[in-house]
Amino acid sequence: MCGIVGFAGKRNAKDILLQGLQRLEYRGYDSAGIAIQNGEQTTVIKASGRLQSLMEKAKHEIQGTLGIGHTRWATHGKPTEENAHPHQSADGSVTLVHNGIIENERELRAFLMQNGFSFSSETDTEAAANLLAYHYQKTGSPLKALTEALHMIHGSYALVILFKGCPDVIFTAKKESPLIIGMGAEETFIASDVPAILPYTRRIYDMESGEIAEVGRGSVHFYDKNGDHIEKTPTEITWNIDSAEKDGFDHFMMKEIHEQPKAVRNTLYAYLKNGNIDFSKANLTESTLKSIQKLHIIGCGSAYHVGMTAGYVIEDIARIPVRVEYASEFRYRHPVFGEHELAVMISQSGETADSLSALREAKAHGVPTLAIVNVVGSSIAREADHVLYTHAGPEIAVATTKAYSAQLAVCYLLAVALGHAKGAFCDAKYQVFLDEIQKLPEKIEQILEKKDSLRVLSAHLASLETLFLIGRGVDFSTALEGALKIKEISYIHAEAYAAGELKHGTISLIEKETPVLGVLTQKNLFPKTLSNMREVKSRGAYLIGIATEGFDVENTVDEVFYIPETLRPFAPSLSVIPLQLLGYYIGTMRGLDVDKPRNLAKSVTVE
Ligand code: AGP
């Protein structure tokens, strides 16, 4: 997600802001900017691309000992200089930076344009700037303007704001997005993350949702969302820089595993409006969806596993045929297309060479294309006809986790939207689907709360060299993803098979103590998988179950990890979590670099 810095003190602000942004570069971004207040003058400098470009543009002397800065990870609008933060209101009275998603930005834009405000960017942040200016014009008070505006904003935000006429203070407001305030001697530091202020102070205030702060040079006052004064107690940071970048986790992978509830929630927020699925941002209208007769879903690695899962779910819910393919196969297969088909590319990076070539192959056949990607403005996003972004934020670890879960969420919505457009189920069922999908983040949190129970199993598996994973339907595609996580992180030879396939050859590999893990979440299929597990148990296998609570598996398996119940098409969002954790724990127990596994790159931009 975006990075935020702020400074109010006696030293020149420019270098402190730029150095703070440098310490946030690890978060990933695509543009950056700073705003410096010097009396009544506000200087704003922004640049797309790397921080070096901003530093080049800001290399001249800029007077001012108070300012704000931002590194942007694009969610609304392309990664251009116009869309970079800080943003200013149309009347120039408000300058701000923002991290989060304003869900009702279109309604706010309409209201503000009716009240004479113009817009120069595609961002939701500019709506916040103009809304604050609207209330600042009416009240003349930054605090009153904030309390009024925040009651109208829906979504998540960390806002850091300069108001014209108030050259000695910075205002901040928080709802869900992280924001901390560090206290120095006659200096105050603001940041979205600890690393940006650690070199100056370890005494911080952690802002809570609904709080507002008025930051001066070495001072801070806190208010609640109604503008009433509140008291807060500072804390001391004990982390070093390295652990601070990982929010206290040992690795980015574990941090990102724990960011999955937020990644799924933010992604769902982006496409659910007033209780309905809204794909208008991708210009995927109900009539377009209704006209689709067949889908081709294409991806690589984990993205392919999401595609496989989506294929099962879309056929199950929307009752239209889906062909799922590896991009590296699709691009050379001389694919055949019929009328009214859609090619769906799934890719976290949006730069995977095979997937980009597959997209171009589909377009060369005149087939409409939809990209489900995480990086705004990436090649696949730019070249596809329609784009549904995942809102997982930058994913640093090579092994994908939070982007995988966010992609699953988009695919569930796509399946339900297709089925609804085609009248495959009644409105009541539509609501049941959406209600359950929105419960997935909290169910993922429940699983993460009991992660430690996987350590003993991981220790057992870490001493072995092979592991089989089996499942049927979406349990099979999830088993494939689990096998990949374990392979790429722990280097154990893990293989996944359709449970019914074991007896067609692979069972010859089973011997005493061979570990076989069954993914058991499908009420209609798990008894069959269980009987496949009994077949290998009779040949000495050690059985592990990843099973939905309430499934009677304990008489068959040697170990079981339960996941919460959900509607069966959405179970992969839950069953994949323990498999990600197994990969992580086994890899760390084997002393491996789980964030940067050998031979792998985060994005494979070559064939
Ligand atoms: C996932 O853990 C792997 N790192 C890899 O399989 C990845 O999913 C694949 O390379 C596709 O990348 P993309 O999603 O960026 O296109």
Side-chain angles (χ1 to χ4, degrees):
M1 298 311 245
C2 307
I4 287 177
V5 293
F7 172 71
K10 297 194 181 316
R11 287 184 284 170
N12 182 279
K14 181 186 81 169
D15 292 341
I16 291 175
L17 294 173
L18 292 173
Q19 288 156 18
L21 292 180
Q22 278 181 297
R23 289 188 201 97
L24 297 180
E25 281 199 280
Y26 71 91
R27 300 167 56 87
Y29 65 98
D30 43 50
S31 59
I34 56 173
I36 295 175
Q37 196 88 40
N38 185 26
E40 281 312 299
Q41 188 194 354
T42 307
T43 304
V44 177
I45 300 176
K46 308 196 282 190
S48 61
R50 308 309 298 161
L51 209 43
Q52 197 52 42
S53 312
L54 176 66
M55 297 170 100
E56 271 303 305
K57 292 183 76 170
K59 62 185 177 189
H60 57 286
E61 178 68 25
I62 303 175
Q63 291 298 325
T65 60
L66 180 143
I68 60 180
H70 188 268
T71 49
R72 178 174 182 248
W73 170 268
T75 53
H76 289 66
K78 295 180 180 60
T80 60
E81 185 170 324
E82 295 71 29
N83 290 336
H85 302 203
H87 281 287
Q88 290 192 293
S89 56
D91 66 356
S93 67
V94 172
T95 303
L96 60 72
V97 294
H98 165 231
N99 184 11
I101 295 174
I102 295 177
E103 291 158 41
N104 61 331
E105 56 116 2
R106 277 184 293 183
E107 294 84 338
L108 293 176
R109 271 179 184 255
F111 166 76
L112 290 158
M113 289 168 84
Q114 284 159 13
N115 283 278
F117 283 83
S118 60
F119 288 79
S120 60
S121 82
E122 306 164 273
T123 66
D124 55 341
T125 303
E126 196 180 2
N130 277 336
L131 185 64
L132 282 162
Y134 169 81
H135 287 293
Y136 191 35
Q137 284 176 6
K138 288 188 174 307
T139 63
S141 152
L143 183 57
K144 286 203 180 78
L146 257 170
T147 53
E148 293 295 325
L150 296 181
H151 280 99
M152 292 175 69
I153 292 177
H154 304 156
S156 59
Y157 50 78
L159 291 167
V160 183
I161 310 147
L162 305 176
F163 285 92
K164 205 158 206 54
C166 302
D168 300 313
V169 287
I170 302 172
F171 280 84
T172 75
K174 172 197 162 126
K175 182 176 176 230
E176 293 172 20
S177 297
L179 201 57
I180 56 177
I181 293 171
M183 303 311 294
E186 295 184 299
E187 294 181 325
T188 313
F189 302 86
I190 300 163
S192 52
D193 274 78
V194 167
I197 59 173
L198 213 45
Y200 307 108
T201 178
R202 288 182 174 274
R203 187 162 158 262
I204 65 149
Y205 290 96
D206 205 348
M207 287 193 71
E208 302 294 331
S209 287
E211 292 181 348
I212 293 167
E214 180 180 353
V215 172
R217 293 175 166 80
S219 68
V220 61
H221 300 284
F222 292 101
Y223 307 90
D224 65 19
K225 61 185 177 186
N226 300 317
D228 297 328
H229 192 81
I230 56 175
E231 287 298 325
K232 282 179 70 67
T233 307
T235 56
E236 283 298 308
I237 308 168
T238 55
W239 290 341
N240 59 32
I241 280 267
D242 182 53
S243 58
E245 287 181 352
K246 303 175 183 102
D247 274 358
F249 291 104
D250 293 336
H251 301 93
F252 281 111
M253 184 179 174
M254 193 56 138
K255 174 187 174 193
E256 288 158 6
I257 285 174
H258 283 76
E259 288 178 340
Q260 290 183 107
K262 184 170 72 173
V264 171
R265 207 170 274 127
N266 285 346
T267 300
L268 295 175
Y269 264 162
Y271 301 110
L272 290 174
K273 295 282 178 285
N274 307 319
N276 286 304
I277 298 171
D278 177 353
F279 284 156
S280 55
K281 281 185 200 142
N283 59 43
L284 273 181
T285 61
E286 181 114 340
S287 59
T288 306
L289 293 170
K290 188 173 183 177
S291 69
I292 295 167
Q293 301 300 321
K294 180 178 179 181
L295 291 171
H296 299 256
I297 303 183
I298 301 145
C300 300
S302 294
Y304 171 80
H305 301 150
V306 170
M308 259 187 82
T309 302
Y312 285 117
V313 174
I314 290 168
E315 291 198 346
D316 182 10
I317 288 182
R319 305 306 297 153
I320 55 173
V322 182
R323 177 163 182 165
V324 185
E325 294 198 71
Y326 286 112
S328 54
E329 287 295 301
F330 176 86
R331 62 184 292 200
Y332 295 114
R333 180 172 64 75
H334 303 305
V336 177
F337 295 98
E339 291 294 306
H340 309 300
E341 298 188 358
L342 179 70
V344 182
M345 300 302 135
I346 300 178
S347 173
Q348 187 286 130
S349 62
E351 298 299 345
T352 300
D354 284 326
S355 304
L356 180 57
S357 299
L359 170 72
R360 291 169 178 163
E361 177 73 14
K363 291 187 76 165
H365 285 78
V367 179
T369 54
L370 163 65
I372 297 175
V373 295
N374 196 41
V375 180
V376 175
S378 54
S379 302
I380 291 174
R382 283 200 310 274
E383 296 188 25
D385 301 306
H386 309 274
V387 183
L388 289 172
Y389 284 114
T390 51
H391 293 267
E395 194 173 60
I396 312 291
V398 165
T400 183
T401 51
K402 62 175 184 173
Y404 184 91
S405 291
Q407 287 164 358
L408 283 178
V410 171
C411 290
Y412 299 151
L413 294 181
L414 180 61
V416 174
L418 282 164
H420 193 237
K422 291 172 162 302
F425 42 78
C426 62
D427 288 351
K429 187 80 174 173
Y430 174 76
Q431 206 50 61
V432 166
F433 285 142
L434 292 189
D435 290 348
E436 186 55 31
I437 289 170
Q438 293 177 83
K439 291 176 185 165
L440 291 173
E442 69 192 69
K443 293 185 175 182
I444 294 172
E445 280 161 353
Q446 289 168 24
I447 296 169
L448 293 172
E449 282 161 13
K450 58 179 199 169
K451 63 177 183 285
D452 287 346
S453 64
L454 287 166
R455 287 179 185 276
V456 173
L457 171 58
S458 303
H460 170 62
L461 296 177
S463 62
L464 305 177
E465 287 312 314
T466 183
L467 169 66
F468 289 101
L469 298 91
I470 61 173
R472 290 169 183 262
V474 293
D475 287 343
F476 171 39
S477 48
T478 303
L480 284 167
E481 175 59 11
L484 178 59
K485 284 284 132 340
I486 291 166
K487 270 186 283 213
E488 64 178 335
I489 297 302
S490 71
Y491 312 155
I492 284 179
H493 188 183
E495 278 314 319
Y497 286 88
E501 274 300 294
L502 270 180
K503 56 186 173 296
H504 297 288
T506 313
I507 199 164
S508 64
L509 293 176
I510 303 296
E511 50 196 23
K512 186 155 177 42
E513 290 307 307
T514 302
V516 175
L517 183 151
V519 183
L520 305 158
T521 71
Q522 302 298 292
K523 206 170 191 68
N524 58 326
L525 294 173
F526 97 90
K528 297 198 176 303
T529 304
L530 217 50
S531 70
N532 298 134
M533 293 175 82
R534 288 190 194 103
E535 284 162 17
V536 294
K537 187 178 183 85
S538 65
R539 290 159 175 81
Y542 182 81
L543 298 186
I544 303 149
I546 305 288
T548 298
E549 283 161 1
F551 281 23
D552 178 14
V553 301
E554 297 192 17
N555 295 329
T556 303
V557 301
D558 298 297
E559 296 207 46
V560 60
F561 181 91
Y562 285 110
I563 59 173
E565 201 170 352
T566 183
L567 293 179
R568 59 183 172 74
F570 313 137
S573 293
L574 305 182
S575 55
V576 77
I577 305 299
L579 297 172
Q580 295 168 345
L581 290 165
L582 278 176
Y584 174 80
Y585 283 134
I586 295 170
T588 48
M589 288 172 183
R590 289 170 75 120
L592 301 170
D593 180 353
V594 294
D595 282 337
K596 297 190 185 68
R598 68 186 179 198
N599 311 336
L600 291 180
K602 182 60 185 168
S603 175
V604 184
T605 54
V606 293
E607 266 206 54

